[in-house]
Amino acid sequence: MFLNDKFKFAERNTTMSTEIIAGITTFVTMSYIIIVNPSVLNKAGMDFHGVFIATILASIIGTLIMGLFANYPIAIAPGMGMNAYFSFVIVLGMGIPWQSALGSVFIASVIFLLLSLTSFRQALIEAIPPSLKAGISGGIGLFVAFIGMQNAHLVVASPATIITLGNFSEPVAYMSILGLIITIILLVNNVPAAIFLGMIITAIVSFCMGYITLPSSIFSLPTGLGATFMHLDISGAFTPNLFAIIFTFFLVTLFDTTGTMIGIAEQAGLMKNGHFPNVRSALLADAVASTFGSLLGTSPTSSYIESGSGVAAGGRTGFTSVVVAILFFFMLFLAPIAQVLASVPAITSPALIVVGFLMMGSLNNIDWKNIEESLPAFFVLFWMPLSYSITNGVGAGLILYPLIKIFRGKMREIHPLLYVFLVLFIIQFIMMNH
């Protein structure tokens, strides 16, 4: 009776058993993040075990708040794309210590948290044109897929052409191709948890071929959080180079989270006359998770589009999210097997490539025949992977879009905040070259 009143099972035409099945479905579909996120952040020099625990705890915190307070069947975990941006661009590309990068995540998350309590959040969402939002999401997808290709050695650096095909006779390359084919077969046949199952099947094949060995034990008590917990450097984040990074973390998290939440709510039939009920609690769930995640030692969190698999299985209430959080908790004791799986690029790279592809679905929302809208989105789309920076892609779009409108005599169509972004990113690009 209590659960029915709390989660409104009857009102939303669902049952506890249906919600449990939905929660299990969502968890299995998105559980690849438990392996992939520590693997990506480990490349930035962060301790694998620390990030592994931080990933799970941040996911539990955000997903529980989403379930208990917002009552939505939406799961939260560290976002794909932002983790790659954290490791490969900020830490490895710019040479910024991961502690300072975590500090920038903390600042962006606190800003997100505070703005989630105000109407300014909605103004920011409305300020960015839909075409640019779609371009940002698609560009991040290309960037993530590109990193997956690199890790798999399917593309490599070339002095003559900058980039070229890798040597497919290398074990890491042909095993990655095998893993990618397995995952694609599962995906096109609509197999639930295709990405996760693809990783597991590839791991089994790799084990049979002698490329990986099983750990001495599969289970262990959670250890290692001390290597990342409270190691963020907030003062180090207040540098000119990181201002744009903080803005990018905030902006992408805001759009990604809001867009995913609205999409899942529409799929579940929970939107009311185009209105997103209890949106403040839903946004707070992600903001709080990102804030605590930066303290624990992980990149920004985001609402997961994989929550749609749970909704398709019948999930309609926050109890689905509670089930997901409980299952995340049990994963705390599987660090040894997770580390083995994460250590093999052929297991994690196909996941990055496929997730990147799925993120590009947003490009359908761009009117490619309208050059004023599509050209800035195009620059966002290709500039991210080619400049190896999400910040550069976002900046290119936010500069070009208002300039095109100005030269077309449509200044009144531009939200005032876009002029602010225009000036800030011009200054950022000038400072980068000095």
Side-chain angles (χ1 to χ4, degrees), residues 9 12-31 63 72-75 192-193 264 267-268 270 304-328:
F9 291 153
R12 298 189 181 180
N13 195 28
T14 185
T15 63
M16 182 185 296
S17 60
T18 299
E19 295 295 302
I20 291 174
I21 293 172
I24 294 172
T25 302
T26 295
F27 173 77
V28 174
T29 305
M30 65 179 292
S31 55
T63 305
Y72 281 110
I74 300 173
I264 299 300
Q267 180 185 354
L270 301 177
Y304 261 59
I305 194 65
E306 285 84 353
S307 302
S309 64
V311 170
R316 293 295 182 271
T317 76
F319 195 71
T320 294
S321 299
V322 172
V323 173
V324 174
I326 292 172
L327 293 174
F328 264 114

Side-chain angles (χ1 to χ4, degrees), residues 190-256:
N190 298 316
V191 176
I195 296 174
F196 178 74
L197 290 177
M199 295 173 70
I200 297 301
I201 295 172
T202 305
I204 293 173
V205 174
S206 298
F207 172 75
C208 294
M209 297 181 68
Y211 291 125
I212 61 174
T213 56
L214 292 177
S216 56
S217 63
I218 296 178
F219 301 98
S220 69
L221 292 174
T223 59
L225 185 60
T228 59
F229 178 59
M230 294 299 292
H231 281 255
L232 71 170
D233 179 9
I234 298 177
S235 62
F238 286 102
T239 62
N241 286 338
L242 285 181
F243 285 153
I245 289 172
I246 293 171
F247 177 75
T248 300
F249 273 138
F250 165 74
L251 200 64
V252 174
T253 301
L254 176 67
F255 296 152
D256 188 35

Side-chain angles (χ1 to χ4, degrees), residues 358-373:
L358 294 174
M359 292 178 70
M360 295 186 66
S362 63
L363 298 182
N364 289 327
N365 298 323
I366 299 174
D367 181 5
W368 292 102
K369 294 181 180 179
N370 185 341
I371 296 180
E372 293 179 25
E373 298 292 327

Side-chain angles (χ1 to χ4, degrees), residues 43 54 79 81 152-153 175 187 247 254 282-284 298 302 389 391 413:
K43 296 182 185 299
H153 293 189
M175 287 303 298
L187 191 68
F247 177 75
L254 176 67
L283 287 171
L284 282 174
T298 186
S302 178
S389 171
T391 302
E413 294 183 8

